[in-house]
Amino acid sequence: MTRQLARWELDGVDGAVVVIDVIRAFTTAAHAFASGASEIYLVGTVDEALAFKAAHPGTLAMGEAHGLRPDGFDLPNSPSMVSEADLEGRTMVQRTSAGTQGVVRAVDATRMWAASLVVASATARAVETSGLGAPSYVITGRFVDRPDRGADDVLAAELIERARLREPLEARATAAALLSTDEAARTLLLGLPHVDPRDIELAAAVDAFDFAMEVERAELGLRLVATPVA
C-alpha cells in the first residue's frame, strides 16, 4: 500500500521511495539533465553546496534558500533559466528548501527517485520494474509549521501512482490543477531574477521527459542521475 509522507516522517522508511518536488526543485533538476548535465549532487545546506563547488572545480551550484538564489550559486531554482544554460557534461550541486531536504532525510530507502510531473510516467515505470512493490511518496512541500502546503506534490504523487497502476493519467486536469495552486501563486510572487514567469508552466508539463532520476549513494555524496526508461 502506498503512503504519502512528510519529510519528518521518514525514519525507518525503506523500500521504494519517491521524493517529490514539483515547484520547483525536481522540475529544475530534470531540465538540467535535458540541458546536458551529467550528474547532480543533492545537499541539505547552502554551505554544503558552496563547499562542494569549491572542492570540485567546474561544478555549478543551483537552487534556493527561502525561494531566492543564494550568493555564490550559479543558477537559481528555475527550470526555465536552467533550460537555457549550456550544461553539457557539467556536474551540478543542488540545494533547495524542500526537495533536497527530502532526499537527505530518506536515509533508510532501499532505492530512491527524485520526481516531478515532467518525469512522472518514467518514474512510475522505474519504480514498478524495481520489484520493490508499492512506493512511499515524500511530499516535500509540507513544512512542520505549514502541513497544509504541498498540493503540487500531492498532485504529482497521485499521477505517478495512476501511471504505475496503468490507470488513466488525467494529465490535462492535473496540469490545470497545478497552475491554480497556492504554491504556484506564491512562487511567482518571488519574481525575477529568482523565478521566471515560465517556471510554473514548465512544471505543469506532464511527461516532458522520458527519463527517471534515481538517487545513488556515491563516494562524493547523494548523486542524482538520469536514466532513460522504456
Side-chain angles (χ1 to χ4, degrees), residues 48 139 168 208:
E48 285 177 294
I139 309 302

Side-chain angles (χ1 to χ4, degrees), residues 1 4 14 17 25-27 58 64 74-75 81 121 124 131 139-140 145 155 175 185 188-189 197 200 215 224:
M1 183 176 180
Q4 292 186 6
D14 59 6
V17 174
F26 299 141
T27 301
E64 51 80 20
D74 302 281
L75 291 161
M81 295 182 207
S121 291
I139 309 302
T140 66
D145 59 340
L155 287 167
L188 289 172
L189 286 174
I200 306 304
V215 181
L224 190 64

Side-chain angles (χ1 to χ4, degrees), residues 21-99:
D21 190 325
V22 179
I23 301 176
R24 295 166 284 164
F26 299 141
T27 301
T28 300
H31 277 276
F33 283 125
S35 294
S38 60
E39 57 187 359
I40 302 172
Y41 284 88
L42 306 177
V43 298
T45 70
V46 169
D47 286 345
E48 285 177 294
L50 293 175
F52 188 98
K53 177 183 172 182
H56 306 285
T59 297
L60 299 178
M62 65 180 181
E64 51 80 20
H66 306 293
L68 309 180
R69 180 176 68 85
D71 291 342
F73 275 43
D74 302 281
L75 291 161
N77 189 36
S78 166
S80 177
M81 295 182 207
V82 165
S83 71
E84 295 173 351
D86 180 7
L87 304 180
E88 191 63 38
R90 302 299 291 265
T91 294
M92 314 289 292
V93 60
Q94 184 181 32
R95 185 275 175 192
T96 66
S97 301

Side-chain angles (χ1 to χ4, degrees), residues 45-168:
T45 70
V46 169
D47 286 345
E48 285 177 294
L50 293 175
F52 188 98
K53 177 183 172 182
H56 306 285
T59 297
L60 299 178
M62 65 180 181
E64 51 80 20
H66 306 293
L68 309 180
R69 180 176 68 85
D71 291 342
F73 275 43
D74 302 281
L75 291 161
N77 189 36
S78 166
S80 177
M81 295 182 207
V82 165
S83 71
E84 295 173 351
D86 180 7
L87 304 180
E88 191 63 38
R90 302 299 291 265
T91 294
M92 314 289 292
V93 60
Q94 184 181 32
R95 185 275 175 192
T96 66
S97 301
T100 69
Q101 308 305 316
V103 169
V104 168
R105 295 190 184 193
V107 295
D108 296 309
T110 305
R111 290 180 68 177
M112 180 175 15
W113 291 266
S116 59
L117 286 175
V118 298
V119 292
S121 291
T123 303
R125 293 194 297 273
V127 170
E128 189 63 10
T129 58
S130 73
L132 292 172
S136 297
Y137 294 103
V138 184
I139 309 302
T140 66
R142 289 177 182 155
F143 290 80
V144 173
D145 59 340
R146 292 165 288 176
D148 57 322
R149 292 195 177 181
D152 54 326
D153 299 337
V154 171
L155 287 167
E158 292 172 347
L159 187 141
I160 293 169
E161 186 61 11
R162 289 195 295 273
R164 189 180 73 88
L165 298 176
R166 300 185 181 182
E167 297 175 351

